[in-house]
Amino acid sequence: MEVDNNTIYCKLCLTDCPEPETSTLCSCECTFCVQCLRQYVPLAIKGGAGGAITCPDPACKNTGTLLDSEITSFAPGDQVELYQRLRFERSVQLDPNKAWCPVLDCQAVCYVTPGTEGKPTPVPCPTCHVVFCCACRGPWEDGHSCSQHQPLMIPSEDSGLAGTDTDAVIKQCPVCNVYIERNQGCAQMLCKNCKHTFCWYCLQNLDGDIFLRHYDKGPCRNKLGHSRASVMWNRTQVVGILLGVSIIVLVTSPLLLLASPCILCCVCKPCNAKMSKKIKRKDKKTSDSPA
């Protein structure tokens, strides 16, 4: 009985795996062991928000994407269903001619009149028959006026829709309009779809607020969701990191300035040529000397 000794190097686990235990992706022809792909694909589904699952090799020249059949092979059935649902939701969010019904008990896919994307236009829901504005998702009324990027509306007993609610459990990202649910915890939100950081209550941009000073004043004062001590500890850590980097730069800068002539001298080609000539002369004299 012949033994197959052919092995293939897997860039994920950094080991040589037997060829039968590996799989080659169809789109880019990169090869990985099956065990690594079975770990990678479920993680990519959870963090990908329905986007295409790309080749796990960051240096892949073809930037390949996994086929549906490959995702089905390397992920459990529940993860495959999750991926299909997220992909469908993403396709609706990215399609300017489609919109979700803002009634939470409905959430049907509605169709926007072509050519009116972003403009205040009434959109009827085919399921619950509520008419809402395609721009702000508010109830459509005569003389309707709206503002973009309002939080998701919560159903009310009267109209099935409600106005803005700072305590809403589900809201939309102010950048990409993806629906986000907050059960508890910090009010500083990070959208997994577009990586935008914002305040849950007022939807203000927090991308550059590393000290979270937004929660020191205004209507969101003391609404971060953490104790004052934890906020101060977070700021102390940030300040400590910045001070540490600054001290390292200040200490190393004079040393680099002092060592720069030596570095330049080592790099200088004429100096290297002179040193090599001297070494050759010494070697020649040594070889010419009588034994």
Side-chain angles (χ1 to χ4, degrees):
M1 181 177 179
E2 295 183 358
V3 180
D4 188 3
N5 295 325
N6 293 332
T7 58
I8 297 178
Y9 182 74
C10 176
K11 294 183 179 180
L12 295 180
C13 60
L14 306 179
T15 57
D16 293 325
C17 304
E19 187 175 0
E21 299 178 7
T22 62
S23 179
T24 302
L25 303 181
C26 296
S27 59
C28 59
E29 297 185 354
C30 293
T31 304
F32 308 93
C33 70
V34 175
Q35 189 64 28
C36 288
L37 290 174
R38 287 176 178 172
Q39 296 178 7
Y40 167 74
V41 173
L43 291 175
I45 291 175
K46 293 180 180 179
I53 299 179
T54 58
C55 173
D57 183 8
C60 177
K61 297 180 180 180
N62 298 323
T63 316
T65 57
L66 274 70
L67 304 179
D68 290 346
S69 58
E70 294 173 331
I71 295 174
T72 304
S73 301
F74 302 127
D78 57 339
Q79 293 294 322
V80 175
E81 293 179 1
L82 174 63
Y83 173 72
Q84 293 174 348
R85 180 171 60 83
L86 292 175
R87 185 173 61 175
F88 172 73
E89 293 176 355
R90 182 182 178 87
S91 66
V92 174
Q93 293 162 359
L94 298 178
D95 190 343
N97 296 324
K98 294 180 181 179
W100 293 105
C101 176
V103 179
L104 293 183
D105 294 336
C106 178
Q107 289 290 290
V109 178
C110 307
Y111 295 90
V112 182
T113 304
T116 60
E117 302 87 15
K119 301 177 182 178
T121 306
V123 179
C125 176
T127 303
C128 66
H129 306 293
V130 168
V131 181
F132 61 94
C133 175
C134 68
C136 68
R137 303 298 192 266
W140 184 267
E141 299 174 352
D142 293 337
H144 175 77
S145 60
C146 63
S147 59
Q148 290 278 3
H149 309 311
Q150 291 183 353
L152 179 68
M153 295 154 289
I154 304 301
S156 66
E157 296 180 357
D158 298 332
S159 62
L161 295 170
T164 58
D165 185 358
T166 57
D167 296 326
V169 179
I170 300 177
K171 294 183 180 180
Q172 288 178 279
C173 172
V175 173
C176 65
N177 295 328
V178 168
Y179 292 113
I180 299 175
E181 180 179 5
R182 175 177 178 259
N183 295 327
Q184 58 183 356
C186 183
Q188 182 194 25
M189 305 301 296
L190 174 64
C191 177
K192 291 185 177 180
N193 186 49
C194 65
K195 310 303 179 184
H196 174 65
T197 306
F198 62 95
C199 173
W200 177 259
Y201 297 104
C202 65
L203 304 182
Q204 181 174 330
N205 184 2
L206 299 180
D207 286 334
D209 191 1
I210 60 175
F211 293 105
L212 301 178
R213 301 183 65 87
H214 172 74
Y215 299 97
D216 291 341
K217 56 184 178 180
C220 300
R221 186 173 183 268
N222 297 328
K223 286 187 177 183
L224 179 60
H226 297 291
S227 63
R228 191 68 182 173
S230 64
V231 175
M232 295 303 296
W233 173 244
N234 174 268
R235 293 179 178 176
T236 303
Q237 288 180 316
V238 174
V239 172
I241 293 172
L242 295 177
L243 286 176
V245 173
S246 301
I247 291 173
I248 292 174
V249 172
L250 290 175
V251 171
T252 56
S253 295
L255 296 176
L256 291 174
L257 290 175
L258 293 174
S260 58
C262 298
I263 296 173
L264 293 175
C265 182
C266 293
V267 176
C268 182
K269 293 182 178 180
C271 294
N272 291 335
K274 291 180 180 178
M275 289 296 296
S276 60
K277 288 181 179 179
K278 289 181 179 180
I279 293 172
K280 289 181 180 179
R281 289 175 183 174
K282 289 182 179 179
D283 293 340
K284 188 175 181 180
K285 288 181 180 179
T286 305
S287 59
D288 294 340
S289 60

